[in-house]
Amino acid sequence: MKRSRFSEEQIIDILKEAEAGEMPAVSVCRKHGVSEQTFYRWKSKYGGMEVSEAKRLKALEDENTRLKKLLADAMLDNVLLKEVLGKKMVTPTALREVGCWLMSEKGISQRRACNLVGLHRSVARYRHRHRDDGPVRDRLKDLAGGHRRYGYLRLHVLLRREGLVINHKRTYRLYRDEELAVRTKKRKRLAGRERVPLAAPERRNQRWSMDFVSDSLCSGRRFRVLNIVDEHTRESPSQLVDLSISGERVTRRLDQLAALHGLHEEIVTDNGPEFTSKAMFLWSLRTGVQLRFIQPGKPMQNGYGESFNGKFRDECPNENWFTSLAEARRLIEGWRRYYNEEQPHSGLGYQTPAAFAAKQRGAVLRSPSARFGKHHVASTPATMVSTKTLTL
C-alpha cells in the first residue's frame, strides 16, 4: 500500500481549516495540493476526530493488515504441507528435493520453503561434487581379500597408512557399498553375570598371559599352539607349535624368552595340567615370577589372552589348511610377525604392538638375579591354587 505524504496531524489540520469557513473547500484543496476526491475521503474517515484518535485508528488498521497477512501465510503453509504430506522427508536429500519442488511449482521463496520443511538454507544450496572413488574401492577390495577377517576400522588404518583416505566415514561408506562386511557366528546367549573389571597392566613385562589353542593337520592329527602375550604392549613374544607340549617344555621356552626380552613379573594362566605341573612350580620358585591362576570356568579373567586367541584362530588356523607340522610352524610364525609388526591394534590407538612396545623399551627391566630365591605363587582374589600344586 502506497504511503500518504500527509500525516494524521496534517490531515486533521486541513479538515479543521475547511470547517472554519474562512475559504471554500475548493480553495483549501488547491492551497495544499490535494484533489477534492481525496479531501472528501479524508472527511468521511477522519471527520470530527482529534489527532490522538486518528493515530489510534491508523495503528488499528496497520495491525489488522498484519494479522490478515499472517493468517494468509499460515493458510498457504497449511495447504502446501498437505500437498507434500505424502512425500517421505527423512534425509537431507529428500528435504532438499521437496524444498526445490515447492520453489519451482508453488513459486515461494527459498527462505520460506526451507522454514516450511525444516531445512537449513546452506543444505538447500549444496551441490554434490563428484569424487572418483575408483582407486580407493579397488585398494579396499584388495586389502579385504588379503585380510578376510578385518573389519572396516582396521582396513581404514591400512588405507590411511597409504594416504588414500582420511575420514573413516568415507571408508565405511565404500565398505558398505562393496558388501565387505565380515560374517560372524552368532554366539549362544548366556545368562547375565556380574562383570568384574580386569586390572590393566601399566608397563611392559609386568604381566604376561599364556594359553593353549589346538587345531588339526589335514591328516586329522591334532597339534597344539602355546600363545604367550604381553598384556601391556599386546605383543606376542612367542608361539610354540608342537604335537605335545609338557610343563617342562613350557618352562624352557619361558627361560629363552627371559633371555631375549627380560623376565616378567607375573603370568596369568588357566588351571591346565601343564601350568599346574611341578615343573612350572619349581620354575616360579627359581625365577620369582608370580603364577596367577584364573577361576575354573571363567576364561574372561584372562581376557587379554582370550582376545589374542580369538584373533589368532580367526585369522590363521581358520584361514589355512595345514598339510604338515613344519608348514603349520612356518605359517603361524609368519602370522605372529605380521601381528606384531604390521597389524593395527584398536587397544593401542591403532598402533602396531611392535611400535607401541618400542616406546616402552626405556623402562628398566627387573634383573632375574635380584629376585632369585623368592617364592611367589599367587592367585586372583577369588582364585585358589589347588593343594596338589602346592605340595609338588
Side-chain angles (χ1 to χ4, degrees):
M1 182 178 178
K2 185 177 180 181
R3 182 179 179 86
S4 175
R5 61 190 179 93
F6 294 95
S7 64
E8 288 78 7
E9 294 89 341
Q10 293 172 336
I11 293 174
I12 297 297
D13 291 340
I14 293 173
L15 292 177
K16 287 184 177 181
E17 184 179 349
E19 290 175 359
E22 296 180 358
M23 60 177 64
V26 177
S27 300
V28 174
C29 293
R30 186 181 299 111
K31 176 183 177 181
H32 294 284
V34 295
S35 64
E36 294 184 21
Q37 182 182 3
T38 301
F39 174 80
Y40 287 109
R41 188 183 297 118
W42 286 350
K43 187 174 182 180
S44 64
K45 184 177 181 180
Y46 296 107
M49 288 187 180
E50 296 296 332
V51 175
S52 59
E53 294 174 345
K55 287 184 176 181
R56 186 161 56 251
L57 177 61
K58 181 65 175 177
L60 290 175
E61 289 178 347
D62 294 342
E63 181 67 18
N64 189 32
T65 302
R66 189 181 68 85
L67 292 177
K68 285 182 179 180
K69 186 177 183 302
L70 291 176
L71 179 60
D73 292 343
M75 293 179 66
L76 179 59
D77 291 346
N78 191 19
V79 172
L80 295 176
L81 285 175
K82 286 182 179 179
E83 293 188 15
V84 301
L85 189 61
K87 301 181 183 295
K88 188 175 181 180
M89 299 183 295
V90 179
T91 62
T93 304
L95 292 174
R96 186 165 54 245
E97 291 176 357
V98 173
C100 294
W101 179 82
L102 289 174
M103 289 186 289
S104 60
E105 297 295 330
K106 301 302 179 181
I108 63 176
S109 65
Q110 185 187 75
R111 185 186 301 274
R112 186 172 183 179
C114 291
N115 291 336
L116 195 60
V117 300
L119 181 68
H120 199 277
R121 294 175 64 194
S122 62
V123 180
R125 292 191 294 265
Y126 173 77
R127 294 295 177 266
H128 177 67
R129 293 174 295 178
H130 179 72
R131 178 187 294 172
D132 184 16
D133 291 329
V136 182
R137 287 178 185 271
D138 295 340
R139 184 55 181 159
L140 180 62
K141 288 189 287 187
D142 291 342
L143 291 174
H147 308 282
R148 290 185 289 272
R149 303 306 301 176
Y150 276 24
Y152 88 95
L153 283 176
R154 286 201 282 181
L155 292 175
H156 170 71
V157 174
L158 299 181
L159 290 174
R160 190 173 58 185
R161 285 180 184 173
E162 300 177 9
L164 294 177
V165 294
I166 297 177
N167 196 326
H168 69 91
K169 292 182 284 188
R170 182 186 178 193
T171 304
Y172 181 69
R173 174 174 58 82
L174 300 177
Y175 182 82
R176 291 292 300 271
D177 291 345
E178 298 297 330
E179 299 180 354
L180 300 176
V182 179
R183 294 185 179 182
T184 57
K185 296 180 180 179
K186 293 185 178 180
R187 298 181 60 187
K188 182 179 178 182
R189 187 176 181 86
L190 303 177
R193 299 177 180 177
E194 183 179 358
R195 294 182 179 272
V196 179
L198 186 65
E202 299 178 354
R203 59 188 177 277
R204 179 174 174 270
N205 278 355
Q206 178 181 350
R207 187 168 67 221
W208 285 12
S209 293
M210 285 196 312
D211 200 3
F212 282 102
V213 173
S214 63
D215 199 27
S216 60
L217 304 175
C218 64
S219 61
R221 188 168 187 180
R222 306 290 294 181
F223 67 91
R224 308 183 75 189
V225 182
L226 174 64
N227 290 331
I228 305 176
V229 185
D230 188 313
E231 294 188 0
H232 180 64
T233 64
R234 311 302 204 276
E235 191 177 21
S236 175
S238 174
Q239 285 182 289
L240 181 59
V241 183
D242 211 333
L243 299 176
S244 177
I245 302 176
S246 63
E248 294 181 355
R249 183 77 179 279
V250 174
T251 59
R252 288 200 299 271
R253 177 52 60 94
L254 291 176
D255 286 335
Q256 294 171 1
L257 294 177
L260 293 175
H261 303 280
L263 200 62
H264 45 284
E265 300 178 16
E266 57 186 11
I267 189 165
V268 180
T269 66
D270 58 17
N271 294 272
E274 299 85 3
F275 302 137
T276 58
S277 63
K278 181 179 179 180
M280 284 294 296
F281 179 78
L282 294 177
W283 178 84
S284 174
L285 180 66
R286 173 171 56 86
T287 61
V289 176
Q290 297 181 359
L291 298 180
R292 295 191 177 275
F293 300 103
I294 65 173
Q295 289 179 284
K298 295 188 176 181
M300 281 313 299
Q301 291 183 358
N302 187 13
Y304 294 96
E306 293 295 333
S307 175
F308 179 83
N309 291 345
K311 288 186 177 67
F312 167 66
R313 183 177 293 280
D314 196 29
E315 298 173 7
C316 189
N318 290 353
E319 295 292 319
N320 294 282
W321 197 45
F322 304 117
T323 58
S324 64
L325 187 63
E327 182 185 21
R329 287 172 175 167
R330 178 175 57 82
L331 293 177
I332 291 174
E333 178 62 19
W335 179 88
R336 186 187 70 86
R337 292 182 180 276
Y338 179 82
Y339 171 84
N340 286 337
E341 300 171 6
E342 298 186 38
Q343 181 169 310
H345 199 295
S346 59
L348 305 176
Y350 291 100
Q351 301 180 73
T352 62
F356 183 78
K359 300 179 181 179
Q360 311 295 322
R361 302 292 184 187
V364 180
L365 301 178
R366 297 181 59 182
S367 174
S369 60
R371 297 182 299 164
F372 183 79
K374 293 184 180 180
H375 181 189
H376 291 277
V377 177
S379 62
T380 55
T383 306
M384 297 298 294
V385 181
S386 63
T387 307
K388 179 181 177 181
T389 306
L390 292 176
T391 56
L392 289 176

